[in-house]
Amino acid sequence: MTDPMADLHDRGRENFEGLVEGGKARLDALFATVPALGELAVGTVYGHLHERPALDPRTREAATLAAIVAAGMVGPPLSVHLRTGLAAGLSPAEVCEVVVQTAAFAGFPRAVSAADQLNRLFEGHGLPIPPPPSPREAVLAHLAAPDGEVAEVLAEFPRTEVQATGSDRVLVSCFGDDTVPGAVLHCAVDGGDVTSVTVFRPR
């Protein structure tokens, strides 16, 4: 008879390995003393929740990081989900913004504790401190002083929706009076700078 929890655990380990290099070995080390806890935790978080389709991986990891900060967990949970958050496409600046947002609702002491731990985690990952602007921030700054084809698009379709879809890319939907975008800008971002913008128009 198949054990549903064991199946979830196996899928969770595979999903975690896909996010974090050497992930299976890290999980084995983390839960070496209490493997049954690892089966429950990994099966639930990465076998079940990770595969639910209602949230994309970036949003799910952002929500998870907010919950971790709110709960005051600055040990392994924050370390693990910084890794998986970055792997899911969160930028370092977005991780920091989650901490800022959480402070208003969970209290500054917990947010400050998380920020203190992030200093060490960022240093360990070789990430710049403080991080460069988030992809969305970089694109908003770029759109504030557009030129060329981008300026023409924004003049024609002045209402925009700006959505980061990864740590290095942002989609800008441009609207006129219609509810359907008249153009979409695909913005590539590197280190807080917009490196290219591709304009897509419906045929």
Side-chain angles (χ1 to χ4, degrees), residues 70-202:
M73 296 184 291
V74 295
L78 183 60
S79 175
V80 167
H81 284 280
L82 172 63
R83 286 179 177 274
T84 54
L86 295 174
L90 289 174
S91 71
E94 288 171 322
V95 172
C96 293
E97 189 65 22
V98 167
V99 175
V100 173
Q101 179 73 16
T102 306
F105 297 91
F108 285 96
R110 290 184 175 184
V112 170
S113 295
D116 180 56
Q117 179 68 355
L118 284 179
N119 287 334
R120 291 185 281 274
L121 292 173
F122 274 37
E123 184 176 1
H125 285 284
L127 299 172
I129 299 173
S134 73
R136 189 172 188 274
E137 288 177 292
V139 168
L140 287 172
H142 185 79
L143 296 180
D147 56 12
E149 187 179 10
V150 173
E152 295 174 5
V153 169
L154 294 179
E156 185 178 357
F157 305 105
R159 184 167 60 88
T160 60
E161 292 180 359
V162 182
Q163 178 69 48
T165 59
S167 60
D168 59 356
R169 57 194 179 276
V170 175
L171 292 180
V172 182
S173 300
C174 305
F175 299 85
D177 296 328
D178 204 343
T179 57
V180 177
V184 175
L185 312 179
H186 179 278
C187 306
V189 181
D190 182 24
D193 296 317
V194 177
T195 57
S196 68
V197 179
T198 304
V199 179
F200 296 92
R201 292 176 179 266

Side-chain angles (χ1 to χ4, degrees), residues 9-24:
H9 181 232
D10 290 341
R11 282 161 44 199
R13 285 171 62 85
E14 291 297 330
N15 288 334
F16 190 80
E17 177 75 17
L19 290 168
V20 177
E21 185 177 355
K24 291 180 181 179

